[in-house]
Amino acid sequence: MLGIARTGIQVTLASVARGNGLRQLCSGGSGSYKNILVEKKGDKSQVGFVRLNRPKALNSLCDDLLRELNVAFREFDADPSVKAIVLTGSSKAFAAGADIKEMQPKTYSTVFGTNFINDWTEMLRIRKPIIAAVNGYALGGGCELAMMCDIIYAGDSAKFAQPEIRLGTIPGAGGTQRLPRAVGKSKAMEMCLTGDMITAKEAESAGLVSKVVPADKLEAAALDLAERISRMSLMAIYAAKESVNAAYEAPLSQGLLLERRLFHASFGTRDRSEGMSAFTEKRAAEFKDE
């Protein structure tokens, strides 16, 4: 989960953060949040849009930012008008990792006693799909944060890495577990043992990223995807996300059973009836999320 401070990658980013360093107090921004910007987007305002907003720190993930992110996700999850969420950063960095200066003084008794970074997993309980729109650097915790999302779109200049090994530790928020599931054991092992970065195209070829687009088109592409998802029945969206995620947790036989039961359950919804009726009548379906 760690980021870039005091690693070889820090040298690479030095020019990006020139004059600012990689540390920014958890402050700034606007509205009720200090470290993120939150709004609704799309033609019908059905897309929750969250931007990490610690530009001087290249969006390094301090505790306050993660707490705010969890609150924003919960609010969008509870909002019946929102059907999908986009998470992004800046053109320079999606998130350059966890806040190393915040983490450096911690001891084993502190991190174990407080179950440090457990809050990171809260977003996994969000039922609506989260799309990560990654431009620039997604390193350490930034890469892990992207992998906690349901879909990753990347700008063509994006770079991904798990550089924790260079700090004498290992990923702690899913880097050794989600990365092998996305790119396979060999590639994940290489990334975790060297800390080397991979490009957006390499990430797409390996299966980490769903789509690569020009950097200046990234947010529009992610928003377009979120809007297309938002046209579907929310009941079906919930079921599809739950079923796909189960493929990573359950044996095939249990996953297939869950899929079948959720498929059966859809026959109890009005939207399933509307969708099939619209198909047979050759018209556009009008889903009511019922």
Side-chain angles (χ1 to χ4, degrees):
M1 64 166 289
L2 303 184
I4 58 176
R6 299 176 186 169
T7 73
I9 295 177
Q10 183 182 23
V11 176
T12 304
L13 297 183
S15 60
V16 177
R18 185 180 296 117
N20 296 318
L22 296 179
R23 171 70 167 167
Q24 177 189 3
L25 294 178
C26 285
S27 61
S30 61
S32 59
Y33 298 106
K34 294 181 178 180
N35 303 286
I36 60 176
L37 301 175
V38 178
E39 60 183 310
K40 291 182 184 179
K41 289 194 174 187
D43 291 339
K44 298 181 179 179
S45 297
Q46 289 183 302
V47 179
F49 195 89
V50 182
R51 185 186 304 279
L52 305 181
N53 189 41
R54 296 186 71 206
K56 292 182 180 180
L58 297 179
N59 292 330
S60 63
L61 303 170
C62 64
D63 288 344
D64 286 349
L65 185 152
L66 267 299
R67 280 190 286 268
E68 291 180 6
L69 194 59
N70 285 332
V71 171
F73 283 156
R74 286 197 302 268
E75 289 180 348
F76 280 138
D77 210 33
D79 186 337
S81 70
V82 171
K83 291 189 177 183
I85 302 167
V86 173
L87 174 64
T88 193
S90 68
S91 60
K92 293 180 179 178
F94 174 73
D99 193 320
I100 306 302
K101 289 187 178 180
E102 183 179 77
M103 198 183 310
Q104 195 278 333
K106 295 182 183 294
T107 64
Y108 170 77
S109 60
T110 299
V111 297
F112 184 66
T114 60
N115 202 14
F116 178 54
I117 72 170
N118 182 61
D119 288 346
W120 287 51
T121 63
E122 188 169 330
M123 66 181 288
L124 300 177
R125 293 191 285 273
I126 301 303
R127 298 181 68 194
K128 294 171 183 175
I130 303 174
I131 301 160
V134 178
N135 256 332
Y137 298 98
L139 310 179
C143 185
E144 290 169 309
L145 180 63
M147 288 191 290
M148 290 186 212
C149 298
D150 299 297
I151 300 169
I152 303 176
Y153 270 20
D156 53 11
S157 62
K159 290 182 171 58
F160 299 82
Q162 296 292 161
E164 292 84 353
I165 195 79
R166 302 186 183 191
L167 298 179
T169 186
I170 68 170
T176 67
Q177 300 302 304
R178 293 189 180 90
L179 192 58
R181 287 166 167 79
V183 305
K185 176 185 175 181
S186 181
K187 191 64 175 179
M189 193 71 80
E190 179 183 359
M191 291 177 68
C192 289
L193 291 178
T194 66
D196 290 346
M197 289 188 287
I198 62 172
T199 66
K201 278 297 184 183
E202 289 173 320
E204 183 183 33
S205 296
L208 178 61
V209 166
S210 175
K211 188 174 185 178
V212 175
V213 300
D216 61 347
K217 306 293 185 184
L218 175 65
E219 289 185 18
L223 182 59
D224 176 70
L225 173 62
E227 287 193 279
R228 286 191 283 124
I229 292 171
S230 296
R231 298 188 192 109
M232 309 304 169
S233 163
L234 186 58
M235 299 299 102
I237 290 171
Y238 285 153
K241 175 171 174 173
E242 181 177 345
S243 189
V244 172
N245 281 338
Y248 285 87
E249 304 288 343
L252 179 59
S253 59
Q254 292 183 17
L256 289 170
L257 179 60
L258 173 65
E259 178 189 67
R260 192 177 312 120
R261 292 296 180 254
L262 290 172
F263 168 69
H264 292 162
S266 73
F267 282 73
T269 68
R270 293 181 180 179
D271 282 348
R272 192 283 314 170
S273 178
E274 163 63 13
M276 292 189 177
S277 294
F279 179 83
T280 59
E281 295 166 11
K282 298 182 179 180
R283 59 175 175 82
E286 297 182 7
F287 296 122
K288 303 297 184 182
D289 302 330
E290 300 175 348

